[in-house]
Amino acid sequence: MKGLDSLDVAGRVVLLRADLNVPLDGTTITDDGRIRASLPTINRLRERGGRVLITAHLGRPKGDSYADRAAGGPSLAPVAARLAELLGVPVPLATDVAGDSARAIAAGLADGDVAMLENIRFEPAETSKDDAVRAELAARLAALADVYVGDGFGALHRKHASVYDLPALLPHAAGELVEAEVAVLEQLILDPARPYVVVLGGAKPSDKLAVIANLLDKADRILIGGGMSYTFLRAQGYEVGKSLLEADRLEDVRKIMDAAADRGVEIVLPVGAVDFGPEAEHEVYPVTAFPADRESLDMGPATRDLFAAKLADAATVFWNGPVGVFEFPAFAAGTRAVAAAISERPGLTVVGGGDSAAAVRRLGLPEDGFSHISTGGGASLEYLEGTTLPGLAALAGEQPA
């Protein structure tokens, strides 16, 4: 996979596939972390005289046609406005993805300019499973530019037109963000300093069973919290009440736990106490006596202490998934405690993107307390599963003559 230095970008239109899929409250960006993470590559291209034309997705537009999706949104207009603020230069937004407006915007770029195409997912072809349909969109996008840079790490696990099909049509390279993400993930896979502790949260074990299976050959200790922990607890025979549960994965969970035991990998579950209840009032119960009519939304104090103790000697930490419903203050204590314990470690500490990265920022924790905060939760997990990411494979292909 070649980096930016392999491309001559001066005076050329660079089609930059970025990951600017930020959370919105209406049209207000609530976390601009992904935009800020894209700045190094954008600025590097500008400094070298590139004419930067950004394509990115936002949300999951609904509808079978471009018109339906564009009417329903979301538009990238708030993202273009925020990027312009961060760069201190205008960032015009095309009114389409690869049509007349996009062609006019691309043709009008001067050296060092930055512009954006409208939400790439307004084009149904972007996510089509039909190779020929995706190829047609990729060709229209390629006609807008001279070279391609893939820097949308959070989308590299998708076989989409702008990620997978487009690089083969232009001289291409990986952006600085993608190179940084891959370098960190390789450290987690190839030669992590030990003890290597993995913290996994989030809603469902089915989202993470494959990564747990792959990490059994690499990690020393795996801490499991959040909604997925209740399926693990139920697999051990504990009552979990109305808490999140994937009953159809209980046997898979038991097999994973048996495999961990066989390989000497410690699996740590919430064993002390669990918070439950509506925001205005909640109680703490030991997991050995959780009521059948209640729902757990966070870990209790004893479990927070247990997880902190299990992280205390870690030389390498990977964390993916909040361990409680951190969006509500009453249920943010577990996620805050885990994040704080990880940030205190002096070794390599990686926050695996997605909701974990959002939690760090939303809870006001200093980002510089972690070695690396990933922009791609799903992409990070699939990489750690050992899965070949389609976008990375495309970037590693030979450039066209």
Side-chain angles (χ1 to χ4, degrees), residues 153 177 180-182 184-185 348-353 367 369-375 380:
F153 178 76
L177 175 60
E181 295 269 17
V182 171
V184 168
L185 291 173
L348 177 65
T349 53
V350 180
V351 180
E367 294 182 46
F370 306 90
S371 304
H372 181 74
I373 298 179
S374 178
T375 58
S380 296

Side-chain angles (χ1 to χ4, degrees), residues 184 187-188 192-197 311-318 341-351 368-372:
V184 168
Q187 289 184 65
L188 296 176
R194 300 190 180 280
Y196 175 17
V197 181
L311 285 161
D313 65 344
T316 302
V317 181
F318 173 75
I342 294 171
S343 69
E344 292 171 0
R345 301 308 311 142
L348 177 65
T349 53
V350 180
V351 180
D368 60 5
F370 306 90
S371 304
H372 181 74

